[in-house]
Amino acid sequence: MTIYVVICAVLISLLKLLFLSSYRSTDFEVHRNWLAITNNLSHHKWYYENTSEWTLDYPPFFAWFEWSLSQAAKYFDEQMLVVTNLKYDSDATILFQKLSVIFADFLLIYATYRCSTVLPTSKEHSGKTLQAKYEPKILSILIIFNAGLLLVDHIHFQYNGFLTGMLFLSMYNILDGNILWGSFWFATLLNFKHIYLYMAPAYGIYLFRIYCMDPKKRGISSILSFHPLRLLQLAAIVILVFSASFVPFKDHLPQVISRLFPFKRGLTHAYWAPNFWALYNFLDKILSIAGVKFKFIHPSQLKATSFSKGLVEEAEHAILPSPTPLITVIITLVFIMPCLIDLWFWPKALTSKHLGNQFIRSVVFTSLTSFMFGWHVHEKAILMVILPLTLLSVCGTKKDAEIFVFLQAVGHYSLFPLLFMPFETVTKISIVVIYTMLSFELLHKLKQSNLKDKSKWCLPLLGRFETLYLFGLVINEVYCSALHRFMPFSEKFEFVPLMMTSTFCAVGVTWSWIKLGYSIFVDRSGYPIEWMEKPKSPQKRFLKPD
């Protein structure tokens, strides 16, 4: 297995090298600027520097990560470390920054290998040794060759693979029974990129329930089994990690917090993430157009700002009420609460190692729900759902695989507007199509999907609606990439392709969210042991002995 992962690592690294001269987004300049800031200024000034509009807005650990990179960057080109050299992109700068992402990704490759050694199992795979044999290899392929990471990290430019590696190390340790190490890695991850707070509720409930209480007991018995010392251990890890991160900035905490949580950026990003608020914005736009056309409202009554201008700014809806950050937080909590309650009242089978599936499923659901209803969500955050869902697609049930193959196609396609240069059109389409076909083929064989009950034209693991929807993505892309520019209204309505892609993808993401919720709260086919059913034989202890 180790040789297999090494081969995958070599192949993907060679592929990434082909993108060294490809398109680079503004995120390339963002990280170059952060290299310069952390290299030249005292850490007390990092979160105040604003020479560039791309100010430092990641937690302190990531800032120190940039500082460590800057120590090597000066050997490539010292000019990239000059704060006033805005949009500096010499060949040496490009080479260094692109290579830094490739080398950082080895943490993800290592974490993927570790996860493959402790894959949970499901009752669907009971006795199927052939599936168990190929699961680690399929998992390695689907994660290491993930299309979204290639598009976002190695063309658009970010460090999502490196951060996902930390997430997977956290999951690996928890699935392996090393709860404290799992907590350490997740706390560390939060101090590299705080958007992973999306997953924090599921992590908190799960760790408290299985580590601080006896998961075999329920009701009053579970409360009486509470271990204060274990809670102190978890709290100590979190406090120590956050202290190491924020204590050096203790005199500047308000400034750091204001950078980390910029609520004045508006409900949605310049390009709407494909979530509930994209549908909400689209409905508001349709209502405003209809209202003016049918003279229900006067054009002068419409708000001066608009969500369809393609700008990052505070805007107001024309017809529908404009939600506040607090409202989005409340809505998100309302929808994730059933998942947290379900996790809390999990039966005594929690101690079974293969029930790590439910932990992964809960993390995916809370992350997807936060993506659906969060404030100013970026479209790239869909990778935080797709990547952990990959684990579930391999080790979970066939329905988990069905959700994954559909959502990864929709989610990866929703990233296309990030790479808007004509030169990248063939590249991005090829990457996503090949990865999607690979996902269908591998998971179809792994789950032994039966197509006899479906129409012949349905794709593997998908039903009629989902198959038709994916064909709709093809039609949408043909219009956005090839036809819109020839329309007489193309200059006046230049953001129509963005709106179409975001809104159409939001329908697919919403469908996946509903299916995932149904599988957790209603169907329950993913449960290795039926709800409230006692194990027929003693279960291997999940937690490692004290």
Side-chain angles (χ1 to χ4, degrees), residues 147 416 424-437:
F416 276 19
E424 268 69 45
T425 300
V426 175
T427 301
K428 66 186 182 185
I429 291 176
S430 300
I431 289 174
V432 172
V433 169
I434 292 173
Y435 183 81
T436 299
M437 293 173 62

Side-chain angles (χ1 to χ4, degrees), residues 431-500:
I431 289 174
V432 172
V433 169
I434 292 173
Y435 183 81
T436 299
M437 293 173 62
L438 190 64
S439 301
F440 277 128
E441 182 66 19
L442 293 177
L443 292 176
H444 167 53
K445 290 184 177 181
L446 179 67
K447 303 300 179 181
Q448 296 183 346
S449 175
N450 187 0
L451 297 179
K452 292 181 179 179
D453 299 330
K454 298 182 179 181
S455 301
K456 292 182 179 180
W457 50 267
C458 284
L459 293 168
L461 295 168
L462 299 185
R464 294 181 181 179
F465 167 76
E466 293 161 328
T467 300
L468 285 172
Y469 179 91
L470 293 187
F471 285 135
L473 290 181
V474 176
I475 297 173
N476 184 81
E477 180 60 22
V478 169
Y479 175 82
C480 294
S481 296
L483 301 181
H484 179 74
R485 70 188 69 177
F486 299 110
M487 297 297 172
F489 53 82
S490 60
E491 292 187 6
K492 183 177 180 181
F493 299 104
E494 60 179 319
F495 294 111
V496 164
L498 288 176
M499 185 184 298
M500 288 177 57

Side-chain angles (χ1 to χ4, degrees), residues 239-371:
I239 292 172
L240 286 174
V241 171
F242 274 79
S243 296
S245 177
F246 283 94
V247 165
F249 303 88
K250 63 181 184 300
D251 296 329
H252 314 281
L253 285 180
Q255 176 65 18
V256 175
I257 298 301
S258 68
R259 286 284 183 85
L260 298 184
F261 300 96
F263 289 116
K264 292 185 178 180
R265 288 185 179 180
L267 174 66
T268 52
H269 196 46
Y271 161 50
W272 306 343
N275 59 12
F276 173 80
W277 300 119
L279 299 175
Y280 192 82
N281 291 348
F282 180 73
L283 177 60
D284 182 74
K285 192 68 177 178
I286 296 300
L287 291 176
S288 63
I289 294 174
V292 172
K293 182 175 179 62
F294 294 105
K295 300 181 179 179
F296 292 120
I297 58 175
H298 192 272
S300 62
Q301 294 178 279
L302 299 179
K303 305 293 192 301
T305 56
S306 172
F307 285 92
S308 58
K309 289 182 177 180
L311 302 175
V312 179
E313 63 177 358
E314 289 187 274
E316 295 185 21
H317 293 89
I319 305 297
L320 299 175
S322 297
T324 63
L326 179 60
I327 292 297
T328 63
V329 170
I330 293 174
I331 293 174
T332 302
L333 290 176
V334 166
F335 280 110
I336 68 172
M337 194 58 66
C339 178
L340 302 182
I341 294 174
D342 185 67
L343 205 55
W344 178 267
F345 289 104
W346 192 250
K348 64 176 61 178
L350 258 176
T351 52
S352 174
K353 183 177 178 180
H354 63 266
L355 270 135
N357 276 335
Q358 188 59 11
F359 164 61
I360 300 173
R361 192 174 286 111
S362 299
V363 169
V364 171
F365 184 79
T366 54
S367 184
L368 182 53
T369 302
S370 299
F371 179 85

